[in-house]
Amino acid sequence: MDRMIAWEYALLVRRYQGQGRNFHVTFVWYGPDGSRKDVTAYGDTAVAHLNRVGREGWELVTAAEDVNNVQGSTEVHRYHLKRPLN
C-alpha cells in the first residue's frame, strides 16, 4: 500500500491600505504552528514573498482577494500554501 502524504499549511496575507495618494502595504505570514509574523521587510511584492517561501518547499494552493472599494481604501490578498510534512 502506498504511503499517504501528510501536508502542513500556511497563509501569506498582503494588505494594501490607501488614503488618497498615500498607501501602505504589509505582508503577514501565518505559520502552520499558529504563529503570526510580519514579513514585510522581506520584499515589496507578493511574487518576491511567494518565491522566497517556494525555496522553502511551500507550494501555492489558492489565492483570494477582498477589495473594499469605498474610495479604494483596502485590498486584502490571501495566498494559501502547503508543503509535505517531513
Side-chain angles (χ1 to χ4, degrees), residues 4-70:
M4 192 167 75
I5 298 174
W7 301 96
E8 64 179 344
Y9 297 90
L11 175 66
L12 175 67
V13 175
R14 174 195 177 268
R15 182 177 303 273
Y16 168 93
Q17 292 178 297
Q19 185 172 0
R21 293 182 181 205
N22 299 318
F23 66 91
H24 184 67
V25 177
T26 58
F27 291 89
V28 177
W29 176 258
Y30 295 87
D33 60 355
S35 62
R36 180 181 185 274
K37 181 179 180 184
D38 183 339
V39 293
T40 305
Y42 295 130
D44 60 355
T45 66
V47 171
H49 287 279
L50 292 171
N51 282 327
R52 179 179 56 81
V53 298
R55 289 188 292 275
E56 297 172 6
W58 291 100
E59 177 182 0
L60 180 63
V61 178
T62 63
E65 174 185 38
D66 295 327
V67 177
N68 171 356
N69 276 327
V70 177

